[in-house]
Structures are given as structure tokens and as C-alpha cells.
Amino acid sequence: MVVLHDYKGWGKKNEVEIKKHIIQESIYGVDLDAGAVDIARLRFWLSLVVDETKPQALPNLDYKIMQGNSLLGIPFNTVVDVQADQKFEHYKELYFEENEPEKKKELKEKINYYIQKILDTANQYSSYEINFDFKLFFSEVYHGTNAGFDIVIGNPPYGAKLSKEEKDLFKEM
């Protein structure tokens, strides 16, 4: 979700700081291929490095640029573990605010535990394997008055070999 108009202090930021903020706070992505995810993260870092006088670490893109199947999410009518969902949201908020590496690692383990718990619950009721869900992994985008994405860019699964069951599932969805 791009919300540049809500960001305070643009006039005091240089081009690299603005790019870093946009990359870290406004861009989300998912791909089946782990290599494509790594390349996307590297490309974001390179876009910052070309403008910096002293190269810095890649912005934190955990839970922003992800590997998974974005076509198969948790069905709308699926009951998920509400308590796990609330704890997940709480730990995710803390994770993005935390700067200490050891605490961040601990929070990431808790987040991943609750994500897996939610996915396991959803998979009990699903006829297909769920490993990614937009509203779960990108949950912060779905809160507030400007909920949802402003722009969505996707590529169809060119040349994908789909079984009859998968084709029927996609038609149903």
C-alpha cells in the first residue's frame, strides 16, 4: 500500500531516505520461486546503493517480500485460531519496532510459530495446501481507513501445468 501523503517530514529527507522508506514500508511481494524473491530483495538494495555515498544494509523486508503461492489463500469461510491471530499481530507490530537483533530474532520465531499455527488450522479445513495468504502475511495493509493495496501488479503463471482439480479450484475461487 502506498501512503506517501501520510508520511511527515518528506522535506527533510534525501532521495535515499525516501527510497528506503518506500521500499521498507510500501512495497509487498510474493513469488513461488525463492530465487525470484532473493533477486527482488537484491534489486531493492542495489537501487539504494547507487545513490548512497556509503553502502548500508538492506532494509528489513521480512514479511514484505515473501515466497509462497499467492493464488491459494485461506478461504473466506475458514475458521482460524483467533487467539493465535491476535498474538501474531501483536508480535508482528513489536518486530517492526524492535532494533536489537537478539530480540528481533526471538520475535521472528514467535511470529513464525503463530503463522504456522494459523496455516495448520486453515489447512485442516481446506481441500488444498495453503502456504501463503495475503491477509495473513501482509496483515498491516488490511487495517485502518486506507485498508488494502492501491496498486497490484501480477504475472499469470505462464506455461503452468494445472491439473483438472486445480483448474476447477481456480474457477471456483
Side-chain angles (χ1 to χ4, degrees), residues 17 38 44 57 63 71 76 80 86-87 97 102-103 115-116 126 139-141 157 173:
E17 290 171 321
D38 291 339
F44 284 129
Y63 309 108
L71 296 178
F76 293 114
V80 295
Q86 290 170 345
K87 287 182 179 180
E97 294 169 3
E102 200 55 41
K103 286 184 181 177
I115 284 174
Q116 194 57 54
S126 177
S139 58
E140 63 276 10
V141 175
M173 292 172 66

Side-chain angles (χ1 to χ4, degrees), residues 72-139:
L72 301 174
I74 298 172
F76 293 114
N77 61 349
T78 302
V79 176
V80 295
D81 185 333
V82 175
Q83 188 176 22
D85 191 45
Q86 290 170 345
K87 287 182 179 180
F88 158 73
E89 292 290 340
H90 173 71
Y91 288 129
K92 195 172 178 187
E93 285 176 26
L94 294 175
Y95 178 82
F96 286 118
E97 294 169 3
E98 184 59 58
N99 291 322
E100 187 180 316
E102 200 55 41
K103 286 184 181 177
K104 205 165 188 78
K105 182 180 176 187
E106 187 179 305
L107 287 167
K108 188 173 185 176
E109 288 173 5
K110 289 179 181 180
I111 291 167
N112 290 340
Y113 168 79
Y114 285 110
I115 284 174
Q116 194 57 54
K117 192 171 181 177
I118 293 165
L119 288 176
D120 288 347
T121 303
N123 278 318
Q124 289 176 5
Y125 301 99
S126 177
S127 60
Y128 53 87
E129 180 70 22
I130 303 166
N131 69 1
F132 179 83
D133 183 75
F134 278 98
K135 287 191 175 180
L136 176 61
F137 283 91
F138 302 155
S139 58

